[in-house]
Amino acid sequence: MKPINLIFYTILVFVFGCKTNSNAPKSVTNAKDYNQYLVVEKNEMLDAAQQDYMFWEKKLEKEPNQFPYLVKAAASQSLLFNQTGKIEYLINAEKKLVKANIATDYKNSSYLRALARNYISQHKFKEALKLLKQAETIGDRLKSTQKMLFDTYLELGSIDKAKSYLSKIENYKDFDFLIRLSKWNDHNGDLDKAILYLEKAAEMVEASKNKGLMQWAYTNLADYYGHAGKIEASYIHYLKALEIDAHDAYAKKGIAWIVYSYERNTDEALRILNATSASYSAPDYHLLKAEIAEFKGDEVLKNKELNSYKVAISNTMYGDMYNKYNVLLFTETKSNNEKALKIANIEISNRPTAQSYDLLAWTYFNHGDVEDALEVMKNHIEGKTFEPEVIYHMAEIYKANGKIKEAKSLKEELLESTFELGPLMTENIKNI
């Protein structure tokens, strides 16, 4: 899962008929640009990762005490997860990395960082922090550890500590610093600076012709451009990422979002997603398809995709990775109130950020506890995040508590984020 992502919502609201292509703005996409990437073909990177994994597994069979082989095999498993989205690969990588760290008595900073990186992918941020603090004490390749400590503290909502680590790694000629400075500015609501620093980082890796980092920079720039309303630039950068890796599922998903949210072409968005999910599987694809189906007015498809999502997340290997999505889904049904509350509190325990507290506030709101929702907002959310989804929840909670002026003020801000929030959310915003 990418650290900077497009925000997809699953709020299930009343549909005002089929709105496909209704009042759609000028198209920026062209199927001729991306059709070539939708065809399921031989994935050389996937094949190489599978062969690499088999190679190290055979080495381990002959020499099971060679823990460096465990780390090599884990790296192959992590790459397989990135290429396929299959959670089994990520969990298998974790198991091998744990074995390698046990073999070295948790005293190899490189192995500690590798396991921490795996835990971050699983949203096990506190576990990752513990490992990174150990790596920091060891001191080997300290800057690499400090960069990851910035990431982890920011995810945990420890803003002051994140800021202190950002200052420790300051180097405007370093790609890793620039992308973190970009993330920092995005967190603080300064999207222009976030884009500026990420553009500089992209120029840097373009000069070095590091295709892996170029691909990462392009998809994240595409996200930022979308948030800023620069839809054509967003589309172009997703295509740039696909030129590097025709199997980049995240870039395809980003194009599908443009086709759906901006162009209102639901059938084409679903075609892109269906083609992508033929070779890449992740539960949230079902939620996005369900949202598009609802906007289209296809209740049968919506229910089918929601059921598929529920089946997917029944796999316990996902752990807490989909807590946010689950709360947003479960709050819509009164019978799932206790389940939503439980998950929201787990997420707060895992990462006490404004976004996590928002899940609790939104659960209270959806079940009529509007005063409790407002209290959570006041104590843990107001002024601590610029995420449009949270701002929308805040506006609804203000409105429910009679704070009409405050709600209207947020409405104006939200109307500038309709692409990011999507058509269904836009209908709700108009009614604030």
Side-chain angles (χ1 to χ4, degrees), residues 135-282:
E136 184 181 33
T137 300
I138 294 168
D140 181 46
R141 293 189 61 190
L142 185 58
K143 290 292 183 184
S144 296
T145 301
Q146 291 172 334
K147 290 169 183 177
M148 291 187 68
L149 279 165
F150 165 80
D151 299 336
T152 307
Y153 276 126
L154 194 61
E155 290 286 356
L156 288 168
S158 301
I159 305 307
D160 290 339
K161 289 181 179 178
K163 185 178 180 180
S164 72
Y165 277 97
L166 188 63
S167 67
K168 292 178 190 293
I169 63 171
E170 183 175 324
N171 179 359
Y172 285 83
K173 295 182 179 181
D174 178 45
F175 174 83
D176 289 340
F177 169 71
L178 287 175
I179 64 174
R180 286 168 173 83
L181 184 59
S182 175
K183 185 191 291 187
W184 177 253
N185 279 279
D186 181 53
H187 169 80
N188 291 327
D190 194 335
L191 185 55
D192 289 341
K193 281 188 178 179
I195 291 174
L196 174 65
Y197 290 123
L198 192 50
E199 286 175 337
K200 289 183 180 295
E203 290 171 4
M204 189 177 295
V205 291
E206 284 173 339
S208 67
K209 301 191 183 302
N210 186 321
K211 289 189 175 181
L213 293 181
M214 285 165 62
Q215 180 186 348
W216 186 94
Y218 290 153
T219 53
N220 282 280
L221 265 176
D223 286 354
Y224 278 165
Y225 285 140
H227 300 340
K230 300 177 180 180
I231 311 303
E232 188 169 1
S234 177
Y235 175 60
I236 288 170
H237 280 76
Y238 285 131
L239 288 176
K240 281 187 173 186
L242 286 168
E243 286 175 13
I244 296 172
D245 180 6
H247 300 276
D248 189 333
Y250 188 81
K252 295 175 193 178
K253 188 178 182 182
I255 290 173
W257 182 260
I258 292 173
V259 172
Y260 160 59
S261 183
Y262 184 73
E263 297 177 347
R264 301 295 202 266
N265 189 340
T266 55
D267 289 338
E268 178 65 2
L270 286 169
R271 185 179 78 89
I272 296 169
L273 291 170
N274 286 332
T276 306
S277 57
S279 58
Y280 186 90
S281 58

Side-chain angles (χ1 to χ4, degrees), residues 274-320:
N274 286 332
T276 306
S277 57
S279 58
Y280 186 90
S281 58
D284 52 296
Y285 275 73
H286 295 298
L287 292 179
L288 179 52
K289 290 178 187 178
E291 178 179 341
I292 295 172
E294 181 175 358
F295 183 70
K296 183 182 178 181
D298 190 337
E299 289 293 311
V300 174
L301 178 60
K302 182 190 78 171
N303 291 328
K304 173 179 174 291
E305 294 297 341
L306 288 177
N307 287 333
S308 295
Y309 172 77
K310 291 172 184 176
V311 170
I313 61 167
S314 66
N315 185 343
T316 57
M317 288 186 183
Y318 283 113
D320 294 329

Side-chain angles (χ1 to χ4, degrees), residues 52-191:
D52 191 60
Y53 175 67
M54 290 172 63
F55 172 80
W56 292 113
E57 279 292 282
K58 289 178 180 178
K59 297 276 281 186
L60 280 167
E61 286 177 11
K62 294 178 180 177
E63 301 177 86
N65 294 323
Q66 287 293 320
F67 52 81
Y69 297 166
L70 288 166
V71 179
K72 296 287 187 181
S76 299
Q77 292 277 286
S78 297
L79 183 55
L80 287 168
F81 169 70
N82 292 334
Q83 287 291 309
T84 66
K86 293 180 179 178
I87 188 63
E88 292 82 3
Y89 290 128
L90 188 63
I91 301 304
N92 287 338
E94 175 196 359
K95 291 176 180 177
K96 292 185 183 303
L97 289 169
V98 168
K99 287 182 180 178
N101 276 284
I102 290 173
T104 53
D105 197 26
Y106 287 84
K107 290 181 180 178
N108 183 309
S109 62
S110 178
Y111 295 175
L112 289 166
R113 284 192 297 270
L115 182 54
R117 195 172 293 111
N118 181 285
Y119 283 158
I120 288 171
S121 295
Q122 293 187 59
H123 290 199
K124 296 181 177 180
F125 299 108
K126 289 185 176 179
E127 292 91 333
L129 179 61
K130 183 178 178 181
L131 294 171
L132 291 170
K133 294 302 288 183
Q134 287 178 258
E136 184 181 33
T137 300
I138 294 168
D140 181 46
R141 293 189 61 190
L142 185 58
K143 290 292 183 184
S144 296
T145 301
Q146 291 172 334
K147 290 169 183 177
M148 291 187 68
L149 279 165
F150 165 80
D151 299 336
T152 307
Y153 276 126
L154 194 61
E155 290 286 356
L156 288 168
S158 301
I159 305 307
D160 290 339
K161 289 181 179 178
K163 185 178 180 180
S164 72
Y165 277 97
L166 188 63
S167 67
K168 292 178 190 293
I169 63 171
E170 183 175 324
N171 179 359
Y172 285 83
K173 295 182 179 181
D174 178 45
F175 174 83
D176 289 340
F177 169 71
L178 287 175
I179 64 174
R180 286 168 173 83
L181 184 59
S182 175
K183 185 191 291 187
W184 177 253
N185 279 279
D186 181 53
H187 169 80
N188 291 327
D190 194 335
L191 185 55

Side-chain angles (χ1 to χ4, degrees), residues 34-52:
Y34 54 78
N35 271 341
Q36 60 186 309
Y37 306 122
L38 301 183
V39 179
V40 177
E41 56 186 34
K42 187 176 178 65
N43 187 335
E44 293 180 2
M45 190 176 295
L46 178 62
D47 290 344
Q50 289 172 332
Q51 291 173 16
D52 191 60

